[in-house]
Amino acid sequence: SYYPMARIKLIGYAYSGEANSETMAQNRVNYVSTRLISKYKIEKERMDISTQISDAPKSIVEIKMLGRE
């Protein structure tokens, strides 16, 4: 790992017009966090996970590096 002490923030987005938008946002962020854990061996404890509902069509997961704690 290039940044073994870094924390990352994952934000799962969903469009407010989507059916079950909160669930969709949560599913998206959960999928990405699971992939980061299984494929890249990033510990879940290093992840800050949240969701956000957007008024604009937005079906993404944003990943931000937070740096050291």
Side-chain angles (χ1 to χ4, degrees):
S1 175
Y2 290 110
Y3 301 97
M5 300 302 291
R7 293 187 56 79
I8 58 174
K9 182 170 182 67
L10 304 175
I11 306 168
Y13 288 92
Y15 174 48
S16 60
E18 280 184 281
N20 302 314
S21 56
E22 184 60 43
T23 300
M24 293 300 293
Q26 190 66 51
N27 288 345
R28 287 180 183 117
V29 78
N30 287 344
Y31 177 80
V32 171
S33 67
T34 299
R35 292 293 293 164
L36 290 172
I37 292 166
S38 65
K39 185 171 182 174
Y40 298 101
K41 309 300 183 219
I42 297 173
E43 298 87 9
K44 188 172 179 94
E45 295 75 30
R46 293 175 42 206
M47 298 180 196
D48 293 333
I49 298 171
S50 64
T51 60
Q52 189 170 333
I53 307 305
S54 174
D55 291 332
K58 201 172 194 179
S59 301
I60 64 168
V61 174
E62 188 174 57
I63 302 172
K64 296 180 179 181
M65 185 178 291
L66 300 176
R68 294 179 182 223
E69 272 201 322

